[in-house]
Amino acid sequence: MALGYVTFITMATVCIGVTATCALCVRSSALPRTIAELEDRGRSIAPYLGVTLLVLLVKRWTHYRRLELSYALDWDITAEIYAVEGTFVAGLQSIVPDSLIGFFSAMYMFGFPYLLVSALVLYFLLATQRRFKQLLIAYALNTLAGSVFYTLFVAYGPRNHLSTVSGLMYEFYPQTQELTAEVSANTNVFPSLHTSLAVIVAIFAWRSRREYPRWFPIASVVAALVVFSTMYLGIHWLVDVVAGVVLGVWCVLTAERLVARAESEPVSASDGRETGLTTEMND
């Protein structure tokens, strides 16, 4: 019952957020144009969408087997992470008012999927599908890299390792634990994929600020809050977040090159044309 309820609330909240974002950021002509070109766009993105869905399905199908392999390898790096940063997360929890637990829990549970879905919808509505393709591949790369790290390394979050750190979201909203357990394990900590995916969306928002000037401030603020929430709620270490930022940047850069190669276009030329860098240099 709890799982179904939380899933429904999450989906409803994301749908409302995406609709509001489109109303704020997208021109009225974009939807009719997209509908008219739907078949052509579908053919264009089909290979990229297929690859991304396949990666997600394989990740889901192999979840428990990878978890078993991870425990068998038993490369626990929790102590090493703690040795690097110490009680940073405990200090963070001590200075942030408890009244914000609900807000940051909402950002973690709802703000994160809102970012991922909103970005996909916005870039699908653009006249060119290049950003949409790049975003799909960046998501796929992030999933692959995260699966490898989570299989190789066992790492427990601050709430599981330190008595001075509380799992605030699970204490405040215990029903959310059932949903998160369906897609992750408490050893899936290094790196923070909430961080890496939020960074991916923020970078794309920055690069598409000419097409969607209102999207960038929205995405950057929500991404920052999602990243902060992962630490404040005791789920991730600061080290996990730093690693997540690096992973997110790598995914974007690699996705650009892979899509450019698949489309037989130079990376520099396509990036310059889409971000407006060439125009800015010539002005």
Side-chain angles (χ1 to χ4, degrees), residues 22-69:
C22 289
L24 185 64
C25 300
V26 179
R27 294 178 181 177
S28 58
S29 60
L31 184 57
R33 182 184 62 207
T34 300
I35 295 174
E37 300 174 355
L38 195 58
E39 186 175 348
D40 290 338
R41 294 190 187 194
R43 284 196 297 266
S44 176
I45 67 170
Y48 302 91
L49 186 60
V51 167
T52 304
L53 290 176
L54 179 61
V55 169
L56 292 173
L57 287 173
V58 170
K59 174 183 178 292
R60 179 61 181 172
W61 289 335
T62 61
H63 174 69
Y64 293 107
R65 291 184 179 179
R66 287 185 292 102
L67 196 58
E68 290 174 358
L69 176 59

Side-chain angles (χ1 to χ4, degrees), residues 28 78 104 127 176 202 204 211 218 223 245 250:
S28 58
T78 311
F104 284 112
T176 61
F204 271 87
E211 297 96 329
I218 295 172
V245 171
W250 175 81

Side-chain angles (χ1 to χ4, degrees), residues 78-116:
T78 311
E80 286 73 15
I81 293 175
Y82 174 67
V84 171
E85 72 173 73
T87 59
F88 175 83
V89 173
L92 197 64
Q93 287 191 344
S94 68
I95 62 175
V96 178
D98 290 345
S99 58
L100 293 177
I101 294 175
F103 172 74
F104 284 112
S105 296
M107 295 309 304
Y108 184 87
M109 289 297 299
F110 308 136
F112 175 67
Y114 157 77
L115 277 178
L116 305 189

